[in-house]
Amino acid sequence: MGKAKRSRNRGPSNKPKVAAVPAKPSAALQKRIEKRLEWAQRIASKAITKGDAPKQDAVNVDRIIARLPEMQPDQLVRIWKNAVRLLTKAGPVRPPPGPTKMLNAVEAEWRTRGLKQINADEFFNWPTTEANGGNHSLSFAGKTDDGMLSYLEYRVGKTNGEPAPVRRAILDRVFGAFLPPVFPKDYMDAWGAPKSAARLKKMAESLAAFTRNAKRRDADRLDEAIRQWEADLEYLREKYYVGRFNFGWPLATLIY
């Protein structure tokens, strides 16, 4: 007799069942998911109340201010100029607190760095005899050939000139605040203290010199720049000079 066949029905297995692992979404599906998330975030951001936005702006301003001591001079100037633009755009009636706070903080940092330069004996690094590559000349963050106003991006002209409100906002800050200590000491000393006669005289002499030089070079081609310099010079005279100082006001006209 042959062997009896074993039944193939072995009954229920005692092994635990393993859940099926979901397949990884395709690249196209992943992109659709990301777009949905971005859309949801935009909707959520629009739902923020008006009272919350200034609070978030204040947090961002404070974070940037905390990093100012670590920044390079050109970074400080960019932040300063951006704050000037924002204040100019907002107008004088209700200036936003963020840009004003940022301007004051950057100028305070400039003052701190200027004091460190004055007290250089306490803050200098020990010199080294190693020489890196260079052009065999001393270098500062700003160049005296360009000048303080150029360094602070005060510009006139048809092509790269700033609108009158921005130019005059820059001039207002230059007259009344601390300047970036990016030039040699003798050049910085010539600009005097904030709101002083020396500061205003240096500013007026600079604008007058720019105007005279442009007239000598090509008065027809530089007519717009000349007009803007002369207008800004008159702005300084009326706002800060008349009734306050008595030094000789510089002339922008050519004397032959």
Side-chain angles (χ1 to χ4, degrees):
M1 293 180 61
K3 296 181 179 179
K5 294 183 180 181
R6 296 180 180 178
S7 175
R8 294 185 179 182
N9 185 7
R10 299 181 180 179
S13 172
N14 294 326
K15 294 182 179 180
K17 294 183 179 180
V18 179
V21 177
K24 184 179 180 180
S26 64
L29 179 59
Q30 187 67 30
K31 284 185 178 180
R32 289 199 296 271
I33 294 173
E34 291 175 357
K35 286 183 178 180
R36 289 290 184 94
L37 289 174
E38 291 176 0
W39 175 82
Q41 289 172 355
R42 286 197 298 269
I43 296 299
S45 65
K46 290 180 180 179
I48 297 176
T49 61
K50 294 182 178 180
D52 291 336
K55 293 179 183 178
Q56 184 61 39
D57 290 342
V59 171
N60 294 334
V61 168
D62 290 339
R63 287 175 179 171
I64 296 173
I65 289 175
R67 294 176 52 203
L68 293 181
E70 307 168 5
M71 294 186 183
Q72 296 299 316
D74 59 333
Q75 294 176 305
L76 293 180
V77 168
R78 286 198 297 269
I79 292 173
W80 183 87
K81 181 66 178 295
N82 184 55
V84 169
R85 286 181 180 277
L86 290 174
L87 277 180
T88 304
K89 185 178 180 180
V93 179
R94 295 184 63 184
T100 302
K101 187 176 182 179
M102 187 66 72
L103 278 174
N104 293 335
V106 171
E107 290 161 359
E109 177 62 22
W110 285 341
R111 180 177 184 272
T112 299
R113 297 187 184 191
L115 292 175
K116 287 183 179 181
Q117 285 190 1
I118 293 174
N119 301 314
D121 290 341
E122 298 179 14
F123 293 93
F124 73 90
N125 294 322
W126 191 255
T128 178
T129 57
E130 295 182 1
N132 297 322
N135 59 1
H136 308 291
S137 63
L138 292 175
S139 176
F140 292 86
K143 298 179 180 179
T144 53
D145 291 341
D146 297 334
M148 181 64 73
L149 294 178
S150 177
Y151 182 77
L152 294 175
E153 300 184 2
Y154 167 86
R155 299 191 182 103
V156 299
K158 297 177 182 178
T159 306
N160 297 321
E162 296 284 2
V166 175
R167 296 198 316 270
R168 292 169 188 180
I170 292 174
L171 293 175
D172 289 340
R173 303 300 300 194
V174 170
F175 175 68
F178 291 96
L179 300 175
V182 294
F183 294 94
K185 186 178 182 302
D186 56 347
Y187 180 86
M188 297 298 303
D189 290 343
W191 283 82
K195 300 182 181 180
S196 65
R199 176 70 59 86
L200 183 61
K201 184 177 180 181
K202 182 65 175 177
M203 295 173 66
E205 288 177 345
S206 297
L207 296 185
F210 298 158
T211 307
R212 293 193 301 268
N213 291 338
K215 289 178 178 179
R216 292 189 185 99
R217 289 170 55 195
D218 192 338
D220 293 333
R221 184 173 63 86
L222 301 173
D223 61 333
E224 183 63 18
I226 291 171
R227 184 190 66 79
Q228 292 175 6
W229 277 322
E230 290 179 334
D232 290 348
L233 187 61
E234 181 62 18
Y235 169 79
L236 290 178
R237 192 187 74 85
E238 292 182 356
K239 185 169 184 178
Y240 297 115
Y241 176 76
V242 175
R244 298 177 62 182
F245 301 107
N246 58 9
F247 62 84
W249 191 254
L251 299 176
T253 56
L254 291 177
I255 300 176
Y256 297 97

